[in-house]
Amino acid sequence: MGNFKRGGLGFVRLHEWNVAALGKYVWWVQNKADHLWVRWVHAVYLKGTSWADYTPGVGTSWGWRKLCWVKNVVQANWMGSSNRYSTSEVYGKLVDRGSKGRLLSQDRLVRMGISDSNRCFLCGEVGESHDHLFFDCGFSQRCIQSIALWLGVIGLAMSSLLYRIWWARNTTRIESNVALPRRLCNDVRGDVITRVRVCNLRFDCSRGRQWFDDLCTRVCH
């Protein structure tokens, strides 16, 4: 779900995070960082071979073959210059690439031959796709506007809102009963307030405390 301070719910996908973290070692080898282990890798494994083109041999260790696999993954999602490697940025790129198009929206179900119609369940006006469902649909836009008016900023609540929109879509598909945007937005309101309290966030000034108290008393319309 991403960094809580940047609008997520404080969770990470462990597989993608581990790949991004191991990518630091890939970056070290690529840039010949001043580490004993890097010098050993170049002397024992690479032996003058380009790291980008290197393929591990059959007799190499499992750990080394795994690192070479990570190399192929992170190089396709490289972020920053040769002077900098950011685990969090590469992680974000991996998550974005892996998430987009994974949800079984109606356009995907039609392409898979599972559904005959790609109609959006929430608005019923146009075809349903990932981008339409979460950003272009009139239902979703009303939810986003309502949350923005309540919160003042949208980042903190976005993860919860996307989850709630997907829940509303699936519920409508099964029960043929579209939920009111107001209900979703007040559910998001509860998620945000609960998350702030669970994390025991402390506000450094009375203004910040007042801002949070106001959020707790206001409701979404």
Side-chain angles (χ1 to χ4, degrees), residues 4 39 50 53 60 81 85 103 111 114 117 124 130 160 181 196 214 217:
F4 180 66
R39 294 196 293 270
S50 169
D53 301 327
T60 55
S81 67
Y85 180 90
L103 295 176
R111 290 197 299 270
I114 298 175
S117 171
H130 179 276
S160 175
V196 171
D214 290 342
T217 56

Side-chain angles (χ1 to χ4, degrees), residues 81-94:
S81 67
S82 60
N83 297 321
R84 174 177 172 270
Y85 180 90
S86 171
T87 299
S88 60
E89 289 181 2
V90 173
Y91 165 77
K93 190 74 176 290
L94 291 171

Side-chain angles (χ1 to χ4, degrees), residues 1-13 91 159 195:
M1 292 292 187
N3 192 311
F4 180 66
K5 294 181 180 179
R6 297 182 181 179
L9 295 181
F11 303 108
V12 297
R13 297 182 181 180
Y91 165 77
S159 295
R195 184 59 184 169

Side-chain angles (χ1 to χ4, degrees), residues 2-221:
N3 192 311
F4 180 66
K5 294 181 180 179
R6 297 182 181 179
L9 295 181
F11 303 108
V12 297
R13 297 182 181 180
L14 290 180
H15 173 73
E16 286 82 356
W17 181 262
N18 287 338
V19 170
L22 287 171
K24 184 74 171 183
Y25 294 93
V26 175
W27 182 83
W28 280 351
V29 174
Q30 175 70 31
N31 292 277
K32 297 182 179 180
D34 188 19
H35 296 287
L36 178 61
W37 175 80
V38 173
R39 294 196 293 270
W40 178 82
V41 164
H42 278 275
V44 175
Y45 285 117
L46 299 186
K47 300 178 180 178
T49 304
S50 169
W51 178 222
D53 301 327
Y54 174 81
T55 301
V58 177
T60 55
S61 67
W62 175 89
W64 176 247
R65 293 197 304 272
K66 189 68 173 179
L67 188 63
C68 292
W69 174 84
V70 169
K71 175 197 70 168
N72 296 331
V73 174
V74 299
Q75 283 184 339
N77 297 276
W78 207 267
M79 300 192 71
S81 67
S82 60
N83 297 321
R84 174 177 172 270
Y85 180 90
S86 171
T87 299
S88 60
E89 289 181 2
V90 173
Y91 165 77
K93 190 74 176 290
L94 291 171
V95 170
D96 289 343
R97 189 190 68 169
S99 297
K100 190 164 185 178
R102 182 174 292 180
L103 295 176
L104 292 177
S105 52
Q106 284 301 105
D107 59 336
R108 289 196 65 203
L109 293 177
V110 169
R111 290 197 299 270
M112 295 166 65
I114 298 175
S115 176
D116 296 327
S117 171
N118 69 342
R119 179 181 60 87
C120 175
F121 288 102
L122 296 179
C123 70
E125 297 175 356
V126 298
E128 180 188 274
S129 65
H130 179 276
D131 290 339
H132 167 78
L133 179 63
F134 292 113
F135 304 107
D136 298 330
C137 179
F139 179 93
S140 303
Q141 289 183 350
R142 288 195 296 274
C143 291
I144 292 173
Q145 291 168 2
S146 179
I147 291 296
L149 288 173
W150 167 70
L151 190 58
V153 292
I154 192 61
L156 186 62
M158 182 57 76
S159 295
S160 175
L161 180 56
L162 294 181
Y163 166 77
R164 296 290 179 178
I165 290 173
W166 184 244
W167 171 86
R169 179 263 188 195
N170 291 333
T171 302
T172 303
R173 181 184 181 188
I174 297 171
E175 301 178 0
S176 300
N177 184 23
V178 181
L180 293 175
R182 182 174 66 253
R183 175 189 171 183
L184 260 71
C185 293
N186 280 305
D187 286 341
V188 172
R189 171 182 175 273
D191 291 342
V192 172
I193 291 173
T194 299
R195 184 59 184 169
V196 171
R197 286 173 173 166
V198 167
C199 290
N200 196 26
L201 295 184
R202 296 183 178 181
F203 298 94
D204 296 330
C205 62
S206 58
R207 185 176 179 182
R209 181 76 252 174
Q210 183 62 46
W211 172 80
F212 180 66
D213 290 341
D214 290 342
L215 291 185
C216 294
T217 56
R218 275 183 275 157
V219 296
C220 298
H221 301 287

